[in-house]
Amino acid sequence: MTPSLSELCATYCDHGFLTGVPALDPKELERATEGFSRLEREFGLEYAQYSLHTVRLKYRWVMSLATHPKVLELIKGILGPNVILLDSRFICKYPTKQKSHEAACGQHNHGLPFVAWHQDIRYWGFEGGSVASVWLALDDVDRENGVLQVIPGSHHQGLLPHITSPRLGNMLTANQEIPDHLLNTSEAVECPLQARQMSVHDGLTVHGSEPNLSTRRRCGFVIRYVPTSAYPVQDPDRLRTFNATVLVSGVDEYHHFPNNAPNLQ
């Protein structure tokens, strides 16, 4: 039986994440994958891997993903009716085509792109509300191609210290990670997805992912939402600012962030 919205939101509140939630239909997935292929050709694979940020303000098909009714229904259940689209980007781990001895032994394959254990809120200069991060899968995601891993309930711990990561290949812009001694990684669970499904996690949920050691691409559209009550702060440790925000649900009585009208093609 498919869980109700209230059941999904209760699970999210308890565990700090959801996974395997249906989102796109087959035609919508086809349009999205074709659109991303065009972006790959326009910008190149290296840029497309992590740097496609504000394309939602240019391309109608990208904004339609960020404002998809099934996505917003769940986000409104989590954050409330008044929601701002804070940020979005495509994240793509391309196949490595071969496995090293270290990878076969379960160790980090040095230099291959991975995402260290972290909390999203560590980097973002705002307060006054939670952030919900959606991964909308354009490709199937499993252990072999670098599935998202989360530590359930870790959002209840608050913000944890982050340090500079000593490992090569960390895709996080600030190259930070949470020290191992603060984590119980034995409790981590994987969030496998089929293309068309989505996962969502809280900004304080500890998460990360290993390199893509398959011959398959792992691409998703990451979308960050906050309630309109959130507001930017000046914090030298959280320098990330947001200048391309859009009101996507309800009304904004606070006007803490600009409402950028997209010029869509």
Side-chain angles (χ1 to χ4, degrees):
M1 181 181 297
T2 303
S4 66
L5 177 61
S6 61
E7 290 171 330
L8 287 172
C9 293
T11 299
Y12 181 88
C13 183
D14 288 342
H15 299 294
F17 76 99
L18 296 167
T19 191
V21 181
L24 305 180
D25 65 32
K27 287 289 187 181
E28 290 168 333
L29 175 64
E30 182 180 3
R31 288 195 294 269
T33 53
E34 289 175 353
F36 185 74
S37 294
R38 292 192 296 270
L39 293 178
E40 288 179 315
R41 292 192 294 270
E42 179 178 354
F43 293 97
L45 298 189
E46 183 175 355
Y47 193 87
Q49 179 174 254
Y50 199 65
S51 300
L52 291 171
H53 275 285
T54 58
V55 288
R56 67 183 180 280
L57 297 179
K58 181 178 180 182
Y59 298 107
R60 188 176 305 277
W61 68 270
V62 181
M63 182 58 80
S64 71
L65 296 178
T67 57
H68 193 282
K70 288 186 177 179
V71 176
L72 288 184
E73 180 185 28
L74 180 56
I75 293 301
K76 288 188 289 182
I78 292 170
L79 297 179
N82 304 318
V83 178
I84 286 175
L85 169 56
L86 187 71
D87 183 49
S88 68
R89 74 193 316 163
F90 288 94
I91 296 180
C92 199
K93 287 183 182 177
Y94 290 101
T96 59
K97 299 183 180 179
Q98 63 180 5
K99 296 181 180 181
S100 68
H101 171 71
E102 291 88 343
C105 294
Q107 302 172 10
H108 277 283
N109 196 334
H110 294 292
L112 295 180
F114 76 101
V115 178
W117 292 112
H118 70 288
Q119 296 165 301
D120 290 339
I121 201 69
R122 172 64 184 83
Y123 308 100
W124 301 342
F126 72 87
E127 295 179 1
S130 301
V131 59
S133 295
V134 168
W135 177 281
L136 189 57
L138 302 190
D139 299 324
D140 292 343
V141 183
D142 54 35
R143 179 179 298 178
E144 190 177 34
N145 70 349
V147 66
L148 173 71
Q149 301 177 59
V150 303
I151 299 180
S154 53
H155 63 309
H156 295 306
Q157 296 178 267
L159 184 61
L160 298 174
H162 289 57
I163 61 172
T164 301
S165 175
R167 294 175 288 180
L168 298 176
N170 187 6
M171 293 179 72
L172 295 174
T173 304
N175 189 32
Q176 290 189 326
E177 66 180 12
I178 299 172
D180 290 340
H181 72 274
L182 296 178
L183 302 174
N184 187 356
T185 55
S186 65
E187 297 181 351
V189 299
E190 296 177 346
C191 296
L193 294 171
Q194 297 176 359
R196 299 195 290 139
Q197 293 181 329
M198 64 177 168
S199 65
V200 56
H201 64 266
D202 185 86
L204 285 169
T205 298
V206 176
H207 62 289
S209 63
E210 296 292 337
N212 181 356
L213 300 173
S214 74
T215 58
R216 297 172 288 118
R217 190 186 70 176
R218 191 206 76 160
C219 183
F221 185 47
V222 177
I223 323 163
R224 328 277 195 186
Y225 303 94
V226 294
T228 54
S229 59
Y231 55 90
V233 295
Q234 299 296 320
D235 186 338
D237 291 328
R238 295 186 294 161
L239 295 175
R240 180 76 186 278
T241 58
F242 301 93
N243 301 311
T245 49
V246 181
L247 179 69
V248 292
S249 177
V251 295
D252 183 2
E253 298 178 348
Y254 301 95
H255 305 291
H256 293 149
F257 292 96
N259 185 26
N260 293 275
N263 182 20
L264 299 175
Q265 298 179 8

